[in-house]
């Protein structure tokens, strides 16, 4: 019984999105999105600006409400009440373009805030966990500094560590390297690659196509609120089916 | 006009003035503390658009800001008494000043809270923190720091406005001065004396708050 459950769990979907539609007023941002993401799967989402990529992943952890369709995360249907949304959110880490570290707290306190508030752990345990993940993202020596004292790349790695401290099963990334100076992009991508290799379920909105080739199981192309194309990285890059995908790829690969 | 200014008179009045100063300080301190608490609560209700309560808070702020403080003081001291909820002059004064300062602090703190980067709320929520956690652990610590100068302004006004309480017989500094003036007609001496005392406590309060502000801002500045 226990065995079959854990096998179900392994084989089952981490995220299951059915018929998801969302409007801002009259404007339809997402149109009938269907998407299943298995445990341990890595999905890269790309597409032109304004196509709904951020909105889609923000629906997954309830940062945005949707009007139609159903989202299941780790087998739990995303409801509207704040308690159940908060529970889902604690299982789903999210990393933002602009890091969003808490500026009044040290790096260490940034990492222990949520676990100390939501999990039944002692300060010592929380700090040990935090140091473990700060070592993983290779900045344990910055633990007592404040966010403003760190470079963008370091701040983004702290943001990743801060999410990991909640031991999430899924990580969402919304253009995590778009706000970074070129020389800092690699350190963040390396951290993400490492995370991927450890089997984390990941959805990354990014235009880093090298990253997509290296770690993605599937690449999704979105345009005007729709999933236009979904394919393995090999097929996606070498043999895109949709004309709009071709156009998009030619634009971003030229630059 | 052969008014003879008398320093010895002020000296002689010092014990009375100190009694008055003590009441002024106690009333002001309590009112400032309560006004900050009221401000935090009402600003939070406003910022999180809590149904009904947000409108109640807005109405309260509007009412306080659109009526004279003296009327509010009389309303609380005489009005409540006639409804059977009579409070002493001291507590009527504390209540009136707290509500008055609280309205201004609601606006001050609302400003501070709306200055907090929206991304921090999303980060907090996506870690699983609930709105109340976000408010307590992120928004207030940041927002309150931002609005310290505005809070100081209101605190200074509360302190100065405590002199209105002489109208309901609270024996604070101004009341003491008026009382002596009525007996001895030493107007210049007494009003100069209390003017200087108000000036000094306002300066001390401002300095203390500026120190606090620098201290609290330190982590942000060490870039
Ligand atoms: N809060 C909002 N209110 C109204 N329109 C919005 C809001 N957020 C995003 N949009 C619109 O929704 C569309 C999709 O936005 P977004 O998901 O951020 O796109 P992407 O991340 O692909 O650039 C855009 O046209 C954007 O202008
Ligand atoms: Mg976006």
């Amino acid at each position: 019984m226990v065995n079959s459950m854990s096998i179900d769990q392994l084989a089952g979907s981490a995220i299951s999105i059915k018929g998801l539609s969302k409007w801002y007023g009259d404007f339809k941002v997402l149109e009938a999105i269907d998407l299943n993401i298995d445990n341990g799967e890595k999905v890269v989402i790309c597409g032109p600006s304004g196509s709904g990529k951020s909105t889609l992943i923000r629906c997954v952890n309830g940062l945005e409400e949707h009007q139609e369709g159903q989202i299941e995360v780790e087998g739990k249907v995303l409801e509207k009440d704040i308690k159940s949304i908060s529970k889902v959110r604690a299982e789903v880490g999210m990393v933002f373009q602009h890091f969003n570290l808490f500026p009044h707290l040290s790096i260490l306190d940034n990492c222990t805030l949520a676990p100390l508030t939501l999990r039944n752990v002692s300060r010592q345990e929380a700090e040990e966990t935090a140091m473990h993940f700060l070592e993983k993202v290779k900045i344990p020596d910055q633990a007592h500094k404040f966010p403003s004292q760190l470079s963008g790349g370091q701040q983004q790695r702290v943001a990743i560590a801060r999410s990991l401290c909640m031991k999430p099963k899924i990580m969402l990334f919304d253009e995590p390297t778009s706000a970074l100076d070129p020389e800092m992009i690699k350190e963040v991508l390396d951290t993400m690659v490492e995370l991927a290799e450890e089997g984390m379920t990941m959805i990354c909105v990014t235009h880093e196509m090298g990253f997509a080739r290296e770690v993605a199981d599937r690449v999704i192309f979105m345009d005007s609120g729709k999933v236009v194309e979904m394919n393995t990285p090999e097929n996606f890059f070498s043999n895109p089916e949709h004309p709009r995908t071709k156009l998009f790829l030619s634009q971003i690969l030229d630059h | 006009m052969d008014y003879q200014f008398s320093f010895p008179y002020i000296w002689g009045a010092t014990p009375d003035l100190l009694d008055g100063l003590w009441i002024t300080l106690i009333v002001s301190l309590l009112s400032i503390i309560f006004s900050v608490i009221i401000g935090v609560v009402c600003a939070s209700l406003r910022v999180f658009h809590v149904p009904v309560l947000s409108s109640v808070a807005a109405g309260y702020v509007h009412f306080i800001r659109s009526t004279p403080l003296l009327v509010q003081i009389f309303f609380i001291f005489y009005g409540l008494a006639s409804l059977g909820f009579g409070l002493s002059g001291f507590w009527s004064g504390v209540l009136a000043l707290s509500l008055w300062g609280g309205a201004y602090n609601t606006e001050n703190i609302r400003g501070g809270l709306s200055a907090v980067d929206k991304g921090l709320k999303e980060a907090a929520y996506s870690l699983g923190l609930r709105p109340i956690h976000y408010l307590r652990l992120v928004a207030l610590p940041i927002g309150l720091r931002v609005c310290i100068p505005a809070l100081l302004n209101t605190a200074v006004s509360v302190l100065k406005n405590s002199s209105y309480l002489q109208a309901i017989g609270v024996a604070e500094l101004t009341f003491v001065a008026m009382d002596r003036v009525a007996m001895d007609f030493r107007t210049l001496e007494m009003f100069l004396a209390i003017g200087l005392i108000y000036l000094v406590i306002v300066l001390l309060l401002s300095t203390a708050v500026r120190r606090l502000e620098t201290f609290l801002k330190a982590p942000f500045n060490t870039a």
Side-chain angles (χ1 to χ4, degrees):
Chain A
M1 188 62 194
V2 172
N3 264 337
S4 75
M5 262 181 66
S6 59
I7 288 166
D8 275 358
Q9 199 74 28
L10 272 177
S13 295
I15 300 170
S16 149
I17 299 173
K18 289 187 201 106
L20 172 69
S21 291
K22 175 176 174 64
W23 287 259
Y24 284 118
D26 292 338
F27 175 62
K28 198 164 192 179
V29 215
L30 295 177
E31 205 170 330
I33 307 264
D34 291 302
L35 181 61
N36 263 294
I37 296 175
D38 290 339
N39 277 307
E41 201 180 2
K42 289 98 187 100
V43 172
V44 162
I45 303 178
C46 60
S49 170
S51 57
K53 309 178 297 291
S54 299
T55 308
L56 174 61
I57 66 168
R58 291 158 59 86
C59 282
V60 170
N61 69 350
L63 282 184
E64 301 284 350
E65 276 190 11
H66 58 279
Q67 283 85 34
E68 270 179 18
Q70 179 176 295
I71 302 177
E72 260 181 54
V73 178
E74 298 289 338
K76 280 177 234 122
V77 178
L78 201 61
E79 310 277 2
K80 284 202 163 47
D81 75 293
I82 184 68
K83 277 212 170 142
S84 80
I85 292 183
S86 299
K87 273 194 193 125
V88 168
R89 284 173 180 160
E91 310 273 302
V92 182
M94 186 162 200
V95 175
F96 302 85
Q97 186 174 353
H98 296 288
F99 332 135
N100 298 347
L101 296 181
F102 305 127
H104 62 303
L105 298 178
S106 71
I107 299 309
L108 189 63
D109 290 342
N110 262 275
C111 294
T112 56
L113 185 73
L116 281 177
T117 311
L118 301 169
R119 307 274 200 233
N120 197 12
V121 293
S122 67
R123 176 165 291 276
Q124 195 195 338
E125 278 173 274
E127 289 187 353
E128 278 167 11
T129 309
M131 287 313 294
H132 168 77
F133 287 113
L134 286 173
E135 262 156 43
K136 213 170 145 70
V137 302
K138 304 194 176 62
I139 27 181
D141 44 330
Q142 315 282 354
H144 294 286
K145 291 193 178 165
F146 282 82
S148 64
Q149 296 170 290
L150 269 56
S151 73
Q154 290 173 323
Q155 289 191 49
Q156 194 59 299
R157 285 183 283 147
V158 171
I160 295 173
R162 176 176 68 177
S163 285
L164 293 177
C165 285
M166 285 300 283
K167 313 259 173 77
K169 301 196 176 86
I170 299 166
M171 287 286 287
L172 309 173
F173 293 84
D174 193 356
E175 306 208 31
T177 58
S178 300
L180 294 176
D181 293 336
E183 70 271 18
M184 293 172 185
I185 292 179
K186 189 175 177 301
E187 63 191 50
V188 171
L189 289 180
D190 286 348
T191 307
M192 291 167 63
V193 170
E194 207 176 301
L195 202 55
E197 282 165 356
E198 285 168 14
M200 178 68 77
T201 309
M202 293 164 68
I203 306 184
C204 311
V205 174
T206 181
H207 292 156
E208 293 295 332
M209 291 304 141
F211 173 80
R213 276 179 211 272
E214 188 177 345
V215 308
D217 298 305
R218 271 186 295 167
V219 182
I220 291 176
F221 175 70
M222 281 183 73
D223 195 12
S224 313
K226 284 185 254 194
V227 172
V228 172
E229 186 157 350
M230 173 150 64
N231 223 324
T232 60
E234 302 84 71
N235 289 336
F236 186 85
F237 291 111
S238 58
N239 195 12
E241 283 161 24
H242 202 286
R244 273 190 287 178
T245 317
K246 285 179 195 158
L247 179 65
F248 176 76
L249 283 176
S250 72
Q251 279 165 350
I252 65 163
L253 296 178
D254 277 353
H255 286 296
Chain B
M1 280 271 120
D2 55 347
Y3 193 97
Q4 278 288 313
F5 194 90
S6 162
F7 280 108
Y9 180 81
I10 298 183
W11 185 244
T14 305
D16 284 0
L17 288 176
L18 285 180
D19 287 347
L21 173 61
W22 174 244
I23 300 290
T24 291
L25 288 178
I26 292 290
V27 166
S28 304
L29 183 69
L30 288 174
S31 305
I32 290 170
I33 292 172
F34 291 140
S35 70
V36 172
I37 295 173
I38 293 173
V40 165
V41 172
C42 292
S44 305
L45 296 173
R46 300 281 285 132
V47 170
F48 283 89
H49 304 290
V50 178
V52 186
L53 295 180
S54 173
S55 311
V56 172
Y60 148 67
V61 170
H62 192 71
F63 177 81
I64 295 287
R65 299 219 295 186
S66 325
T67 53
L69 174 57
L70 198 54
V71 172
Q72 296 164 18
I73 292 170
F74 285 153
F75 179 83
I76 286 171
F77 185 62
Y78 297 112
L80 288 189
S82 66
L83 291 175
F85 302 108
L87 292 174
S88 68
F90 180 90
W91 288 109
S92 297
V94 170
L95 180 58
L97 287 175
S98 303
L99 289 173
W100 184 86
Y104 286 88
N105 281 340
T106 299
E107 291 306 279
N108 295 337
I109 295 169
R110 193 155 76 104
L113 290 178
S114 1
V116 178
D117 180 359
K118 287 226 168 51
L120 300 183
K121 188 191 215 167
E122 301 188 337
Y125 285 2
S126 66
L127 286 165
L129 295 170
R130 293 204 289 276
I132 188 72
H133 300 136
Y134 162 72
L135 180 70
R136 186 163 57 81
L137 302 167
V138 180
L140 282 175
I142 296 173
L144 284 177
R145 279 176 171 97
V146 173
C147 65
I148 285 176
L151 294 177
L152 171 63
N153 259 335
T154 302
V156 167
S157 299
V158 165
L159 193 141
K160 290 187 296 183
N161 287 342
S162 68
S163 82
Y164 279 111
L165 301 186
Q166 62 88 16
I168 54 168
V170 178
E172 45 69 58
L173 202 47
T174 306
F175 181 92
V176 168
M178 300 278 280
D179 201 36
R180 303 266 322 200
V181 166
M183 290 189 304
D184 305 329
F185 306 107
R186 287 278 167 192
T187 34
L188 262 190
E189 285 84 350
M190 288 320 291
F191 291 129
L192 180 71
I194 65 167
L196 287 176
I197 295 174
Y198 280 119
L199 187 71
V200 169
I201 37 183
V202 167
L203 281 178
L204 289 176
L205 179 63
S206 307
T207 314
V209 172
R210 290 230 179 77
R211 289 255 166 97
L212 177 73
E213 191 185 12
T214 323
F215 171 74
L216 289 175
K217 278 219 168 131
F220 291 91
N221 291 340
T222 45

